[in-house]
């Protein structure tokens, strides 16, 4: 637990520095430095809320689990908040709740939503559709899995397997020359936790202790000459979080001689 708290503190410090650099860059109106231009920032987005989330029901890979009204509002708000970011690509899990969230992020941008099958949620096999509290009371195999997700009964994915496929998928996309500097990956809570754990050096079995909200974004900075840095984890930006600098006020115009004489005359009258 102490390791997790220490990692979260380091992420928070990096996040504050990242916000400060971004604000300075906008308000100083300076071009990106060569060092900044070499960086790639990954935006890892969790889908908006579903009814199954509110029911604490495991969706797994089941089809038809879509955003509820709250989830649609969350996705729209996140899309507005991220409108100030130079998003260069949008890649989504094929499951409806992720695809629908990605569609909101793509609105107003000339960017297609591309599908990556390896970003799907954890395959929980026969537990899909079950309520977590019921499993916790009745199923000893589920209890053992929660305690140690590095092992699982037949038909259920382990955390190491999920992490392996997700990291491999991200690396495949990063190898593409046309991905740009700010790609977005839309996925699921476990997927994001395991991806963050990989880049933070956290043990796979402890990834479940991380918290990722619906319609939140996590940021990972990649630099050729530096180790990867998780900059934000489960961040919920609100629209207007990064305000562009206000345009300078027009300078007052000097009155022409004729106007000046008229003003003086009017004052004397």
């Amino acid at each position: 637990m102490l390791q997790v708290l220490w990692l979260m503190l380091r992420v928070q410090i990096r996040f504050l520095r990242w916000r400060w650099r971004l604000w300075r860059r906008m308000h100083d109106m300076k071009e990106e430095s060569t060092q900044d231009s070499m960086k790639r920032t990954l935006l890892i987005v969790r889908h908006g809320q579903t009814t199954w989330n509110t029911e604490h029901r495991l969706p797994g890979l089941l089809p038809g689990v879509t955003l509820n009204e709250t989830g649609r509002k969350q996705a729209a708000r996140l899309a507005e908040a991220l409108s100030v970011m130079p998003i260069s690509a949008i890649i989504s899990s094929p499951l409806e709740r992720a695809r629908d969230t990605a569609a909101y992020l793509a609105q107003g941008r000339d960017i297609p939503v591309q599908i990556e099958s390896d970003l799907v949620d954890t395959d929980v096999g026969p537990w899909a559709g079950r309520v977590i509290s019921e499993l916790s009371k009745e199923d000893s195999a589920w209890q053992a899995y929660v305690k140690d997700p590095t092992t699982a009964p037949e038909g259920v994915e382990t955390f190491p397997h999920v992490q392996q496929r997700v990291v491999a998928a991200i690396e495949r996309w990063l190898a593409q020359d046309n991905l740009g500097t700010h790609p977005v990956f839309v996925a699921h809570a476990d997927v994001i936790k395991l991806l963050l754990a990989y880049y933070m050096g956290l043990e796979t079995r402890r990834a479940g202790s991380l918290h990722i909200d619906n319609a939140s974004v996590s940021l990972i900075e990649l630099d050729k000459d530096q180790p990867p840095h998780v900059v934000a984890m489960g961040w919920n930006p609100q629209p207007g979080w990064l305000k562009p600098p206000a345009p300078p006020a027009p300078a007052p115009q000097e009155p022409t001689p004729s106007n000046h004489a008229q003003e003086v005359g009017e004052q004397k009258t």
Side-chain angles (χ1 to χ4, degrees):
M1 182 57 71
L2 288 177
Q3 181 191 14
V4 175
L5 292 174
W6 170 241
L7 289 172
M8 292 176 67
L9 177 61
R10 293 179 65 183
V11 169
Q12 184 62 28
I13 292 171
R14 290 194 193 109
F15 177 64
L16 294 174
R17 289 175 177 169
W18 176 81
R19 288 282 297 267
W20 173 246
R21 292 200 312 268
L22 198 60
W23 186 89
R24 284 291 301 273
R25 191 179 302 150
M26 286 193 66
H27 287 260
D28 289 351
M29 296 298 185
K30 294 179 179 178
E31 293 184 1
E32 284 188 319
S33 66
T34 303
Q35 182 179 5
D36 286 341
S37 64
M38 292 174 63
K39 288 182 179 178
R40 178 176 268 168
T41 302
L42 313 186
L43 292 85
I44 316 296
V45 170
R46 185 187 175 192
H47 62 79
Q49 186 187 89
T50 70
T51 301
W52 286 41
N53 290 145
T54 62
E55 295 174 348
H56 304 288
R57 191 180 298 274
L58 291 170
L61 307 185
L62 293 177
V65 182
T66 59
L67 301 181
N68 59 18
E69 183 179 357
T70 297
R72 290 189 291 272
K73 290 179 180 178
Q74 290 174 337
R77 182 172 63 247
L78 180 63
E80 184 180 352
L82 295 182
S83 63
V84 296
M85 298 293 290
I87 292 174
S88 56
I90 301 176
I91 300 97
S92 174
S93 156
L95 296 173
E96 292 97 322
R97 53 195 182 274
R99 284 194 289 108
D100 292 348
T101 302
Y104 279 95
L105 299 176
Q107 289 179 2
R109 301 179 186 270
D110 188 21
I111 300 176
V113 175
Q114 303 179 76
I115 300 301
E116 172 53 66
S117 60
D118 280 338
L119 291 181
V120 292
D121 208 347
T122 304
D123 186 354
V124 293
W127 294 327
R130 297 288 305 277
V131 176
I132 294 174
S133 60
E134 295 176 355
L135 286 172
S136 299
K137 294 176 182 178
E138 303 169 0
D139 195 320
S140 58
W142 169 260
Q143 296 167 8
Y145 181 71
V146 171
K147 186 175 182 180
D148 181 11
T150 63
T151 61
E154 185 177 356
V156 175
E157 267 190 306
T158 64
F159 268 22
H161 184 269
V162 176
Q163 186 179 66
Q164 183 180 21
R165 67 168 165 83
V166 171
V167 171
I170 297 296
E171 296 295 335
R172 285 198 305 271
W173 283 96
L174 293 179
Q176 298 185 19
D177 294 333
N178 60 350
L179 193 66
T181 59
H182 288 76
V184 174
F185 296 88
V186 186
H188 310 270
D190 282 353
V191 167
I192 297 171
K193 291 176 184 181
L194 288 162
L195 188 61
L196 294 175
Y198 174 80
Y199 283 111
M200 289 193 297
L202 181 67
E203 291 179 276
T204 304
R205 65 182 180 86
R206 304 184 69 178
S209 60
L210 304 178
H211 182 72
I212 305 295
D213 283 334
N214 286 113
S216 67
V217 58
S218 300
L219 305 175
I220 302 171
E221 280 191 344
L222 302 179
D223 193 323
K224 291 181 180 179
D225 301 323
Q226 300 292 332
H229 285 152
V230 175
V231 177
M233 186 164 48
W235 174 40
N236 288 285
Q238 298 300 313
W241 66 275
L242 182 64
K243 296 184 182 298
Q253 295 183 348
E254 291 293 333
T256 62
S258 59
N259 289 339
H260 180 66
Q262 183 179 1
E263 292 172 1
V264 171
E266 289 173 351
Q267 290 172 3
K268 286 184 176 180
T269 300

